[in-house]
Amino acid sequence: MAETTGSGVSAGESAPQPRKASWKYIGPGIVVAATGVGAGDLVATLIAGSNFGYTLLWAAVIGCVVKISLAEAAGRWHLATGRTLFDGWASLGRWTTWFFVVYVVIWGYVYGAAAMSSSGLPLQALFPDVMELKWWGILTGLVGLVFVWFNKYAVFEKVMTVLVGIMFVVTVYLAVRVTPNLGDAFAGLLPVLPDEKDSILNTLGLIGGVGGTITLAAYGYWVNAKGWTNTGWMKVMRLDNRVAYITTGIFVVSMLFVGAELLHSSNVAIASGDKGLVQLSGILEKEYGNATAKLFLIGFFATSFTSLIGVWHGVSLMFADFVERYRKQRVGAGSQALTGEEVASGTHEKSVPFRAYLLWLTFPPMILLFQGQPFRLIILYGVLGAAFMPFLALTLVWLLNSSRTPREWRNGWLSNGMLTVAGLLFLVLCVKQITDQDWSSFF
């Protein structure tokens, strides 16, 4: 890699001209918000509203603030160094590569089935007599595969924006429809814990679950794919990131309102997981009519399908980065992985590794749709998923406080504080996830 100066540019080059933060540039933030908030996040918030009313509204808001700091750090690394996040991880030692490889293989296999099933559920509810859930799931997986395979980032972003618009209209409409108690809602911004068993862990889980997945790490890749490749785009990226998680906050708060008003006040319980949203559609039909229930199912599909195609695109791009670095090491062409400029060119969206991981996300997981999810694999999936977020937070602290990052763009006290809090939060949740597993049945 070229030698960098304290301004984050190659020696002998002038610093990039800063671009004015403008709404017309917004894009990658919409993508990361749509991908990160899946049906599971919405139903978890819905259940929090059902169980505790507005009491944990403050936790949902903090969850969005935590994710702003993580995504901003990932985007800042890409723009300040010109290197990809995987290249940064690899510089910390070989252990990061091993973790990433095991994670994307196991996580991708199980997530593929979960994403297809989640996207198929609302379609089966909308068209109950057409075909079984597994066939709807397979159809959504194939549509996602074809869409990502034949389109580059620009088209992908436009489609995601349309789907986010649908999500936004539906969730806000529902929040208004249930007529929230604004006095109780404002009171819910005070940091109070419910007076129930495991309330602390439930609260931490809500904070950690608001749109937090590997897609936070993919944000920097989408920033580059948009064409933002140097520090001149830093202000734009920060505005884009804030818009992303304000949007996320609106989604989550809206669903908490629905849970608090529609379920908590009526003592109605719904199942955890995506099927809880199908149950909610039935409740909405009884309370507000068939049109509202159908509109909700359309929003449910938009939420699930944006997560599917977002992972299909973003994580495949990260996998292509990993393979490119490994290939260069094998042929002795140096150890540098994809640069921001290479990601921006779009060539790796058509590469063999990108498409190979797309196929891995789509076809092998279809086996799980027919056979059910194997117990041991689900335990490993849960542990790896829980371990990724502390891995992301703590490696970003490491990278952005070291000489790997130009001095001007290293962490300040606020970034360090937020990333450290995020890392510790996710570490607690990771330990909880590990201890909750039925390890006696695993061996």
Side-chain angles (χ1 to χ4, degrees), residues 55-141:
T55 306
L56 292 181
L57 180 59
W58 64 272
V61 173
I62 288 178
C64 293
V65 173
V66 166
K67 303 311 187 307
I68 286 175
S69 65
L70 282 165
E72 187 276 339
R76 177 156 44 97
W77 167 265
H78 277 248
L79 296 182
T81 66
R83 301 161 66 185
T84 64
L85 186 54
F86 184 82
D87 194 39
W89 285 337
S91 72
L92 300 178
R94 188 166 290 182
W95 65 275
T96 59
T97 300
W98 283 109
F99 175 81
F100 177 79
V101 171
V102 174
Y103 177 84
V104 296
V105 170
I106 295 177
W107 180 88
Y109 180 55
V110 180
Y111 180 83
M116 286 186 278
S117 178
S118 179
S119 297
L121 267 172
L123 293 176
Q124 186 190 36
L126 283 166
F127 309 103
D129 300 322
V130 176
M131 54 186 170
E132 295 178 29
L133 173 60
K134 57 178 174 284
W135 297 112
W136 279 117
I138 288 171
L139 177 62
T140 60

Side-chain angles (χ1 to χ4, degrees), residues 123-395:
L123 293 176
Q124 186 190 36
L126 283 166
F127 309 103
D129 300 322
V130 176
M131 54 186 170
E132 295 178 29
L133 173 60
K134 57 178 174 284
W135 297 112
W136 279 117
I138 288 171
L139 177 62
T140 60
L142 292 175
V143 170
L145 170 70
V146 171
F147 171 71
V148 175
W149 188 288
F150 290 104
N151 289 290
K152 289 191 176 181
Y153 176 80
V155 176
F156 166 70
E157 183 190 285
K158 287 181 174 64
V159 170
M160 291 287 274
T161 302
V162 171
L163 292 173
V164 167
I166 295 171
M167 291 167 60
F168 189 89
V169 168
V170 170
T171 54
V172 172
Y173 167 75
L174 288 177
V176 173
R177 193 80 168 83
V178 299
T179 318
N181 186 321
L182 295 181
D184 288 347
F186 282 119
L189 293 174
L190 296 174
V192 176
L193 291 173
D195 187 19
E196 296 190 22
K197 183 182 177 182
D198 292 334
S199 63
I200 294 178
L201 286 172
N202 286 332
T203 303
L204 292 178
L206 181 60
I207 294 172
V210 181
T213 66
I214 191 174
T215 54
L216 284 166
Y219 179 62
Y221 290 83
W222 286 323
V223 162
N224 288 156
K226 179 75 170 176
W228 307 346
T229 57
N230 56 50
T231 55
W233 291 98
M234 197 69 76
K235 288 183 178 179
V236 175
M237 181 275 292
R238 284 171 168 162
L239 173 64
D240 177 75
N241 178 46
R242 288 167 191 153
V243 169
Y245 282 96
I246 289 172
T247 305
T248 299
I250 292 171
F251 292 153
V252 170
V253 169
S254 295
M255 292 306 288
L256 192 138
F257 282 6
V258 173
E261 292 295 338
L262 193 61
L263 304 178
H264 181 69
S265 60
S266 305
N267 257 345
V268 176
I270 62 170
S272 60
D274 300 342
K275 291 184 178 179
L277 294 182
V278 176
Q279 281 182 266
L280 179 62
S281 71
I283 296 169
L284 288 169
E285 184 172 6
K286 290 179 182 177
E287 292 287 334
Y288 304 112
N290 186 59
T292 297
K294 297 294 186 189
L295 181 65
F296 170 73
L297 288 171
I298 292 169
F300 175 9
F301 171 74
T303 301
S304 298
F305 194 64
T306 51
S307 293
L308 186 151
I309 60 175
V311 167
W312 264 228
H313 186 275
V315 184
S316 296
L317 203 53
M318 295 179 71
F319 184 76
D321 187 6
F322 154 71
V323 174
E324 177 69 7
R325 182 184 178 86
Y326 180 75
R327 184 192 65 79
K328 287 182 177 179
Q329 287 178 324
R330 287 291 300 270
V331 300
S335 60
Q336 185 176 344
L338 297 181
T339 64
E341 295 286 353
E342 288 174 306
V343 176
S345 72
T347 56
H348 294 281
E349 293 174 79
K350 303 298 182 186
S351 67
V352 171
F354 181 92
R355 287 177 166 174
Y357 194 73
L358 266 179
L359 296 173
W360 173 254
L361 282 167
T362 307
F363 289 105
M366 290 179 184
I367 299 171
L368 300 183
L369 296 177
F370 286 91
Q371 296 184 348
Q373 299 181 349
F375 177 74
R376 289 181 175 84
L377 195 61
I378 296 304
I379 287 182
L380 292 176
Y381 167 78
V383 170
L384 285 169
F388 183 82
M389 292 303 286
F391 168 79
L392 174 62
L394 297 175
T395 53

